Amino acid sequence: MAVTVVGSVAFDSLETPFGKRERVLGGAATHFALAASFFADVNVVGVVGDDFGEDELAVYAARSVNIDDLERVPGAKSFHWSGRYAEDMTVAHTLNTQLNVFADFDPELSPHARSASTLFLANIQPELQLRVREQCRDARVVGVDSMNFWIESARDALIRTMGEVDVVALNDAEVRMLTGEPNLARAARRLRELGPRVALVKQGPYGACMFTAEGYFSIPAYPLETVVDPTGAGDSFAGGFFGYLDSLDDPNPAENALRAAAVYGSVLASFVVEDFGSERLQRLTEDEIAGRFDEFRQMMVFEEPVAARLRSSTSA
Ligand code: AMP
């Protein structure tokens, strides 16, 4: 039982209305791994340069995340992403992307990483996602994320990757872009017709929704009064979702398990945005997660104290 994630391990330079940070530890695989590590054993498959030092490695060690499959390329630089968020913080504006070591990354997974029960293909080149998918034949639950860049530049490969996974986790704009369908319910149906049985649609500050064969589930975002930096929210959502599913030891998670997983996704995402980069995840505790999960339970219940007496247009 373990989760393997392949994706970017990065230095991020971030600018939000709350300030700036230079070269903080980030990357989709980092946010995912830290979030999932609260539920399951996690293996990170990625690549870094020799600018990646002891401080960065210590962050994974503190959460017992296995980085044996994190390749280190001597004399090279790690992936570096710079992004800025405007006042409403709903969209990340990429200022600069330096792929560096990622340009030639083509991992051969260790037997341990290959044997994971859950696989998450975080946002990277779709051909690479597919090659990693092919190496993890035993994974019982496989998820994929992507972004506008790949939808535009590698659409066919991305659609092939989607045919090999169980869960697609994209944000609403990406779902519409990929399917060419402006209506979200129809777009999610098209997405599921590509192969995945679950379409998990992230909606930023509005939460997320999930489309399955059994129906539709809407997950709120936690009503935070201050969002410091949204970077990593999507990946932490996926980390909570897949980490929880992996902990259930059920090869075919039922609808109620998928729903609880989605709530854990929203819980983890709600924490990461409280501080820059992965700083909040680094000091998160199990009690905080359990407490916020209970708050979600309260937020998502409603009762009808008295049945409404619906009136027809002819009632007096
Ligand atoms: P998100 O969860 O969508 O906010 O993802 C944020 C993370 O994605 C950041 O930590 C970045 O390092 C990483 N990232 C940004 N652009 C790319 C890209 N083109 N490929 C892979 N990872 C990226």
Side-chain angles (χ1 to χ4, degrees):
M1 295 292 295
V3 183
T4 288
V5 55
V6 59
S8 55
V9 174
F11 286 112
D12 289 343
S13 294
L14 308 165
E15 209 179 312
T16 85
F18 289 87
K20 281 183 169 189
R21 291 286 189 284
E22 286 298 324
R23 293 181 65 82
V24 297
L25 175 62
T30 302
H31 293 117
F32 177 95
L34 295 179
S37 72
F38 285 93
F39 304 89
D41 290 339
V42 185
N43 312 308
V44 172
V45 177
V47 63
V48 291
D50 53 15
D51 50 356
F52 213 77
E54 291 307 314
D55 290 352
E56 285 75 34
L57 298 175
V59 173
Y60 302 101
R63 295 265 355 127
S64 301
V65 171
N66 176 13
I67 52 166
D68 290 350
D69 283 69
L70 182 63
E71 191 185 324
R72 257 154 284 178
V73 183
K77 283 189 177 162
S78 303
F79 180 92
H80 183 196
W81 178 73
S82 307
R84 181 169 55 210
Y85 299 85
E87 204 62 45
D88 74 352
M89 289 212 261
T90 52
V91 185
H93 300 282
T94 295
L95 301 175
N96 193 279
T97 302
Q98 291 168 18
L99 285 179
N100 298 327
V101 284
F102 252 98
D104 305 311
F105 182 53
D106 194 5
E108 259 303 298
L109 272 61
S110 66
H112 182 70
R114 279 172 198 247
S115 69
S117 38
T118 301
L119 173 66
F120 185 63
L121 307 166
N123 166 34
I124 37 162
Q125 200 195 0
E127 285 91 355
L128 181 53
Q129 292 177 319
L130 203 51
R131 287 200 293 277
V132 172
R133 169 67 186 108
E134 280 159 3
Q135 293 179 54
C136 295
R137 281 286 129 198
D138 296 339
R140 301 175 316 194
V141 177
V142 182
V144 68
D145 186 11
S146 194
M147 70 185 293
N148 52 5
F149 178 74
W150 302 119
I151 296 171
E152 280 165 357
S153 64
R155 193 192 156 76
D156 291 349
L158 182 58
I159 286 177
R160 277 202 303 281
T161 304
M162 299 216 161
E164 300 294 324
V165 307
D166 307 290
V167 184
V168 173
L170 291 176
N171 72 37
D172 49 358
E174 292 159 351
V175 171
R176 292 188 176 100
M177 191 177 179
L178 181 70
T179 59
E181 172 56 66
N183 176 286
L184 193 60
R186 259 189 251 155
R189 182 159 48 74
R190 294 241 174 106
L191 206 54
R192 294 182 54 247
E193 283 164 2
L194 296 174
R197 65 186 182 96
V198 179
L200 196 52
V201 183
K202 298 168 283 181
Q203 298 169 301
Y206 307 109
C209 57
M210 185 169 67
F211 296 84
T212 66
E214 279 76 17
Y216 172 83
F217 183 54
S218 172
I219 310 107
Y222 188 74
L224 288 174
E225 297 204 1
T226 306
V227 171
V228 172
D229 169 23
T231 309
D235 305 308
S236 308
F237 189 103
F241 182 88
F242 290 100
Y244 172 75
L245 284 186
D246 192 71
S247 72
L248 297 181
D249 194 15
D250 181 351
N252 212 348
E255 178 72 12
N256 61 356
L258 293 169
R259 290 184 174 205
V263 174
Y264 276 115
S266 201
V267 167
L268 270 293
S270 76
F271 283 114
V272 74
V273 302
E274 289 181 343
D275 206 340
F276 281 95
S278 61
E279 283 168 25
R280 185 66 177 93
L281 290 186
Q282 290 178 38
R283 56 172 197 276
L284 187 60
T285 66
E286 299 91 293
D287 285 350
E288 288 176 312
I289 295 173
R292 200 163 279 183
F293 186 82
D294 279 342
E295 287 187 73
F296 269 80
R297 214 194 289 274
Q298 298 301 322
M299 272 161 35
M300 296 175 76
V301 167
F302 80 90
E303 284 160 16
E304 190 183 27
V306 178
R309 287 186 293 275
L310 300 170
R311 305 195 294 176
S312 76
S313 57
T314 54
S315 37

